[in-house]
Amino acid sequence: MAALLPFPLHLRTPQSRLDDPIAAARAVRELSRPGDGVLFMPARRREPIMSHPEDFQGLNELALARHAIPSGTLHGIELPAPRIRARMLTAGRIVTVNDPAGRPLDDTPQEKANREVPAEDFHRCAVRDVTGMRIVLYGRAGRC
């Protein structure tokens, strides 16, 4: 019995997690300012906002049509890609919560828009890698 004790204890530490939504939420808070847009790429990356919504106060969720609880879904319901694109183009700065580099990309129209607009119309201002996620701040020229 004593030989099994260290194994279960290790599974309960933060170091055993594949991702760290708390660190991601903290990075979003540090990189953003009120009025910035926020995107979760892919949409299932919304767990930081669910675990620490206070770190996202004052940010505009650019892709979301309905939040999780009112929509009766785990991650909410996203807008169609053209509406997401239009919202993104009105933003001066956008913070994205992403899978880490090297993960396969989702091929939905919404995810394509989420990737294309920042790459084409914004500058990459800052990148923060946390356990299992990458947080990127994009800004228009002079807005980093």
Side-chain angles (χ1 to χ4, degrees), residues 8 47 50 59 61-62 75 78-79 82 86 98 102 117-118:
E47 63 266 18
M50 292 185 284
L59 302 181
E61 256 208 85
L62 300 173
H75 298 291
E78 289 201 339
L79 294 164
N98 311 275
V117 173

Side-chain angles (χ1 to χ4, degrees), residues 17-28:
R17 292 187 49 89
L18 296 176
D19 57 18
D20 187 349
I22 295 169
R26 188 178 314 116
V28 168

Side-chain angles (χ1 to χ4, degrees), residues 63-98:
L64 206 58
R66 293 186 66 207
H67 287 278
I69 292 172
S71 70
T73 64
L74 184 59
H75 298 291
I77 297 173
E78 289 201 339
L79 294 164
R83 298 251 338 259
I84 295 171
R85 183 180 296 277
R87 281 181 162 187
M88 290 169 62
L89 291 172
T90 66
R93 293 167 26 117
I94 299 172
V95 179
T96 63
V97 179
N98 311 275

Side-chain angles (χ1 to χ4, degrees), residues 28-80:
V28 168
R29 183 186 69 232
E30 291 168 359
L31 290 174
S32 66
R33 53 186 182 223
D36 287 351
V38 64
L39 288 171
F40 298 91
M41 302 171 19
R44 66 182 172 275
R45 278 293 170 199
R46 281 196 169 82
E47 63 266 18
I49 196 171
M50 292 185 284
S51 62
H52 277 88
E54 64 276 5
D55 289 330
F56 293 81
Q57 285 183 335
L59 302 181
N60 300 315
E61 256 208 85
L62 300 173
L64 206 58
R66 293 186 66 207
H67 287 278
I69 292 172
S71 70
T73 64
L74 184 59
H75 298 291
I77 297 173
E78 289 201 339
L79 294 164

Side-chain angles (χ1 to χ4, degrees), residues 33 36 91-95 118 121-126 136-144:
R33 53 186 182 223
D36 287 351
R93 293 167 26 117
I94 299 172
V95 179
D121 297 298
F122 290 81
H123 300 282
R124 185 181 283 197
C125 304
V136 182
L137 171 64
Y138 293 93
R140 300 267 189 190
R143 301 286 304 267
C144 283

